[in-house]
């Protein structure tokens, strides 16, 4: 595959420090490593590329809460430790491999292997990282160990990883979207439209823009649709005043929005005969996966719903309570799907390409039973009638995209 893209990172139209890197995606061969640090999962991947074919092994490691809120050094030591464990298990400790790093937090990208963290989001708040180059912090941690040698060839955001991963299979993929712990999207833009991008054209006439749309609304533009629940979520978060759009959509917050509504309706006597439970009134205790499970019940059947309510100490829930709980879940997930669709349509209409595939990753899109259909329906209403689109689940996640970019970058260096 020979598809040339230049990637351009900007987080606001008035940020003049736009940076880019050239990518040459083609069939490379050999073993490549990737790290994928999202908001919930941390994965280490080994990908073996051969002609038009790849094999992938991966392992998920936990990031304990005390590390998510500890020092940067602890976080990067933990990442290097997981990498070393994985390499030992795969018997590749002695090999010097190229690595791509998917790091899904807002970065000020200064090149393919240099990115300064702008701010933590999604529950992370490690000290001493904001303003620093996360690639260097990872290199330092690997050096401190001294038992593995890795060449970090690329750092990218999960939207870019998803786009690359999907584009490898489907050449019409032009948007990478995440609806997981957080939400964000990147898209391929004509270089002539990226007015702040003044580098010479590398041949494709295209740039990749990371929208960082999770922060949409931080300037007050979404205030007219933010509810009291959204405001409470924001106040209780580790980053108040930031990531308003993301907080209305993504998996880190959706369950808690539902829980707050249920708590309010219970206290107003409208649910459960006015009798709640300690768990229902505990912040964060209504998981986003419950929303998927409750909406997975067939219409008129409340098996999952009852099980979850019992788990929450609400055995006394009536049939009508189940109907109402499901309705609240539907309102919150439908709002999320519609907001994502509206943002996607803005991109699709702006791109004005006859047919665009959107590569999507993230557990909310992957597991919610109706999210895909809700999006298809809403986008079909909002998209300019002459344009066509499809939504493609990224089967292998954004990590594979990072490994592909590392493969291309290392080949280019050779
Ligand atoms: N079955 C489910 N249905 C809906 N949401 C879910 C489900 N299971 C987990 N989630 C939510 O998905 C989020 C995790 O998303 P994901 O697995 O995509 O992680 P991630 O890659 O770390 O996140 P991100 O891509 O935003 O960096 C969590 O907030 C969790 O609440």
């Amino acid at each position: 595959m020979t598809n040339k893209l230049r990637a351009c990172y900007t987080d606001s139209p008035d940020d003049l420090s736009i940076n880019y890197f050239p990518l040459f995606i083609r069939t490379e061969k050999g073993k490549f490593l990737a790290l994928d640090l999202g908001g919930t999962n941390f994965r280490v991947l080994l990908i073996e590329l051969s002609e038009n074919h790849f094999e992938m092994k991966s392992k998920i490691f936990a990031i304990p809460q005390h590390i998510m809120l500890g020092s940067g050094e602890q976080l990067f030591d933990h990442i290097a430790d997981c990498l070393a464990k994985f390499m030992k298990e795969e018997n590749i400790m002695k090999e010097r491999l190229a690595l791509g790093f998917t790091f899904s937090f807002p970065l000020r990208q200064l090149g393919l292997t240099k990115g300064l963290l702008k701010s933590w989001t999604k529950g992370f708040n490690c000290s001493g990282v904001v303003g620093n180059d996360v690639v260097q912090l990872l290199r330092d941690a690997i050096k401190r160990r001294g038992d593995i040698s890795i060449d970090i060839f690329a750092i990218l955001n999960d939207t870019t990883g998803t786009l690359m991963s999907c584009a490898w299979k489907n050449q019409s993929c032009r948007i990478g979207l995440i609806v997981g712990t957080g939400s964000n999207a990147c898209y391929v833009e004509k270089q002539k439209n990226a007015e702040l991008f003044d580098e010479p054209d590398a041949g494709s006439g295209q740039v990749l823009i990371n929208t960082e749309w999770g922060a949409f609304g931080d300037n007050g533009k979404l205030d007219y649709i933010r509810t009291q629940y959204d405001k409470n979520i924001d106040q209780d978060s580790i980053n108040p005043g930031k990531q308003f759009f993301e907080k209305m959509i993504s998996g880190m917050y959706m369950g808690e929005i539902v829980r707050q509504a249920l708590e309010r309706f219970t206290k107003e006597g409208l649910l459960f005969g006015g009798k709640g439970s300690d768990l229902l009134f505990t912040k964060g205790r209504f998981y986003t996966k419950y929303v998927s499970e409750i909406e997975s019940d067939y219409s008129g059947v409340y098996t999952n719903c009852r099980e979850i309510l019992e788990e929450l100490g609400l055995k006394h829930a009536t049939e009508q309570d189940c109907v109402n709980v499901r309705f609240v879940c539907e309102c919150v997930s439908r709002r999320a799907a519609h907001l994502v669709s509206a943002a996607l349509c803005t991109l699709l209409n702006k791109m004005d390409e006859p047919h665009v595939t959107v590569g999507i990753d993230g557990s909310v899109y992957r597991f919610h039973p109706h999210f895909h259909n809700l999006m298809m329906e809403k986008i079909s209403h909002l998209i300019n009638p002459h344009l066509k689109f499809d939504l493609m689940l990224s089967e292998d996640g954004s990590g594979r995209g990072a490994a592909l970019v590392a493969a291309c970058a290392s080949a280019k260096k050779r």
Side-chain angles (χ1 to χ4, degrees):
M1 176 171 172
T2 57
N3 181 16
K4 269 202 236 168
L5 289 179
R6 295 175 82 200
C8 153
Y9 285 82
T10 178
D11 49 11
S12 74
D14 54 354
D15 183 346
L16 290 166
S17 58
I18 293 176
N19 295 286
Y20 73 95
F21 55 79
L23 297 179
F24 299 87
I25 301 176
R26 58 185 170 230
T27 311
E28 301 301 343
K29 290 181 196 151
K31 286 183 196 160
F32 302 91
L33 284 164
L35 300 178
D36 187 353
L37 181 67
T40 304
N41 298 312
F42 170 55
R43 286 214 299 169
V44 185
L45 300 93
L46 173 66
I47 293 182
E48 193 152 359
L49 292 176
S50 47
E51 217 139 306
N52 292 323
H53 174 77
F54 72 92
E55 278 183 30
M56 188 166 91
K57 288 185 181 157
S58 72
K59 186 163 180 180
I60 293 182
F61 292 88
I63 307 266
Q65 181 88 354
H66 73 272
I67 289 188
M68 287 169 77
L69 300 174
S71 71
E73 197 167 300
Q74 281 173 311
L75 173 68
F76 285 95
D77 281 345
H78 179 69
I79 291 174
D81 187 43
C82 298
L83 175 61
K85 279 192 183 120
F86 178 81
M87 290 178 74
K88 196 165 183 195
E89 281 168 24
E90 294 300 328
N91 221 1
I92 49 171
M93 284 291 266
K94 298 271 173 296
E95 296 183 43
R96 188 180 182 106
L97 297 179
L99 179 141
F101 186 13
T102 305
F103 184 82
S104 311
F105 301 90
L107 281 184
R108 185 181 176 85
Q109 186 115 16
L110 301 177
L112 190 48
T113 54
K114 189 163 183 166
L116 313 185
L117 179 67
K118 293 184 63 139
S119 58
W120 285 115
T121 56
K122 301 183 284 192
F124 276 70
N125 201 4
C126 302
S127 58
V129 187
V130 172
N132 288 305
D133 175 14
V134 292
V135 172
Q136 194 52 49
L137 293 175
L138 178 59
R139 283 191 181 125
D140 293 346
I142 290 172
K143 204 165 164 198
R144 274 195 292 280
R145 302 183 55 84
D147 58 350
I148 47 174
S149 46
I150 298 293
D151 290 317
I152 305 172
F153 269 100
I155 181 158
L156 51 154
N157 177 282
D158 51 358
T159 58
T160 311
T162 299
L163 193 154
M164 295 301 171
S165 183
C166 290
W168 198 75
K169 285 188 174 165
N170 179 338
Q171 293 213 32
S172 67
C173 186
R174 288 282 178 277
I175 296 182
L177 167 67
I178 302 291
V179 197
T181 311
S183 182
N184 189 16
C186 71
Y187 75 105
V188 178
E189 178 60 279
K190 296 172 192 81
Q191 187 174 335
K192 64 180 167 55
N193 292 342
E195 67 264 24
L196 299 178
F197 189 80
D198 52 12
E199 297 290 328
D201 179 10
S204 69
Q206 296 178 321
V207 291
L208 188 58
I209 308 265
N210 172 11
T211 66
E212 285 298 349
W213 79 21
F216 179 46
D218 293 5
N219 57 0
K221 291 263 160 67
L222 286 177
D223 286 357
Y224 74 109
I225 51 166
R226 288 179 71 231
T227 64
Q228 190 55 47
Y229 309 125
D230 298 314
K231 290 175 190 162
N232 298 343
I233 294 263
D234 179 53
Q235 282 311 309
D236 294 340
S237 70
I238 60 155
N239 53 349
K242 301 224 162 76
Q243 303 290 109
F244 282 178
F245 192 55
E246 171 167 278
K247 286 172 181 165
M248 297 171 87
I249 292 168
S250 67
M252 183 157 182
Y253 311 99
M254 195 190 282
E256 176 58 13
I257 297 175
V258 170
R259 193 201 64 78
Q260 285 196 26
L262 299 182
E263 177 170 357
R264 176 183 150 196
F265 295 139
T266 306
K267 288 184 172 162
E268 288 177 359
L270 300 167
L271 269 177
F272 313 123
K275 185 171 170 285
S277 67
D278 287 348
L279 288 178
L280 181 67
F281 296 160
T282 304
K283 273 186 194 136
R285 194 51 187 73
F286 195 99
Y287 308 128
T288 300
K289 68 172 184 178
Y290 290 169
V291 178
S292 293
E293 285 163 11
I294 288 170
E295 291 192 50
S296 294
D297 275 333
Y298 289 118
S299 169
V301 176
Y302 298 99
T303 317
N304 293 344
C305 186
R306 278 209 173 281
E307 218 169 89
I308 289 163
L309 293 180
E310 281 184 23
E311 208 175 301
L312 292 173
L314 298 159
K315 243 185 165 151
H316 55 287
T318 62
E319 173 99 359
Q320 188 57 47
D321 287 328
C322 292
V323 173
N324 292 340
V325 167
R326 183 180 172 128
F327 180 69
V328 171
C329 291
E330 285 171 352
C331 289
V332 175
S333 60
R334 192 187 313 120
R335 182 184 73 153
H338 285 182
L339 286 171
V340 170
S341 304
L344 264 183
C345 266
T346 310
L347 294 182
L348 289 165
N349 290 341
K350 181 179 192 310
M351 290 163 83
D352 199 30
E353 298 219 5
H355 181 212
V356 169
T357 296
V358 183
I360 313 182
D361 199 5
S363 289
V364 173
Y365 176 81
R366 189 180 294 271
F367 297 121
H368 186 282
H370 310 300
F371 215 83
H372 172 87
N373 289 347
L374 287 164
M375 284 180 67
M376 289 298 292
E377 199 183 358
K378 184 49 80 181
I379 297 171
S380 305
H381 282 151
L382 297 176
I383 197 168
N384 289 339
H386 66 286
L387 302 178
K388 294 210 163 21
F389 73 97
D390 351 88
L391 306 181
M392 169 185 178
L393 176 68
S394 163
E395 280 162 28
D396 306 301
S398 49
R400 192 185 68 180
L404 290 172
V405 173
C408 298
S410 65
K412 191 163 177 276
K413 194 175 171 203
R414 280 199 307 273

